[in-house]
Amino acid sequence: MENDCVCGVSGTKSGETIELRSRATILSTGGFSANKEMVKRYIGPHADECKLRGSKQDTGDGLRMAIAVGAKAVNLKYFYGHLISRKALVDDRFWPYPRLDSFVDEGMLIDRKRQPLC
């Protein structure tokens, strides 16, 4: 950080500290899909019940580091996922297939057991 701006990154190479400076810094990470608290916060109150499709290492460290130095998180309202069999939550034979996306390509999915989230 320099003058409240991210101006690069520092690290080690062969035991020596190195610094790489830049005019712009882009932080690219695996996301936060394995962090149930962040999933509930940014995606929705029941989203932590989803089956983890990504890596168990996707714990949101990059997002937390960026926010800690003043970065603005954008587009967190969007979520990428697939519909899967409910049995996949308790029986790995149903994971990750069959995917049920084709059933709702042009329709609506209604769950009678829950109140609407909207």
Side-chain angles (χ1 to χ4, degrees):
M1 297 291 295
E2 197 171 276
N3 298 322
D4 291 328
C5 292
V6 176
C7 56
V9 65
S10 63
T12 58
K13 180 179 179 182
S14 302
E16 299 285 328
T17 299
I18 61 168
E19 188 176 273
L20 303 171
R21 298 182 62 76
S22 64
R23 291 183 299 201
T25 302
I26 297 172
L27 179 62
S28 178
T29 71
F32 55 86
S33 59
N35 182 319
K36 288 184 179 270
E37 182 179 313
M38 291 178 86
V39 167
K40 282 175 31 175
R41 178 178 178 189
Y42 294 117
I43 298 173
H46 302 289
D48 63 317
E49 297 173 23
C50 292
K51 183 89 168 165
L52 177 62
R53 190 167 176 88
S55 168
K56 292 179 181 177
Q57 277 41 10
D58 294 343
T59 57
D61 296 339
L63 179 58
R64 283 195 305 274
M65 287 189 297
I67 290 172
V69 296
K72 179 181 178 185
V74 297
N75 295 330
L76 294 178
K77 64 182 177 182
Y78 298 105
F79 169 74
Y80 173 79
H82 293 282
L83 293 177
I84 59 172
S85 169
R86 183 176 195 82
K87 287 184 179 183
L89 297 172
V90 294
D91 187 339
D92 284 337
R93 293 178 300 166
F94 293 90
W95 174 250
Y97 300 102
R99 284 194 344 216
L100 307 174
D101 299 358
S102 60
F103 289 115
V104 294
D105 281 347
E106 296 181 29
M108 183 184 311
L109 179 65
I110 299 171
D111 181 352
R112 296 180 198 188
K113 296 177 186 169
R114 294 196 188 242
Q115 294 295 318
L117 298 176
C118 306

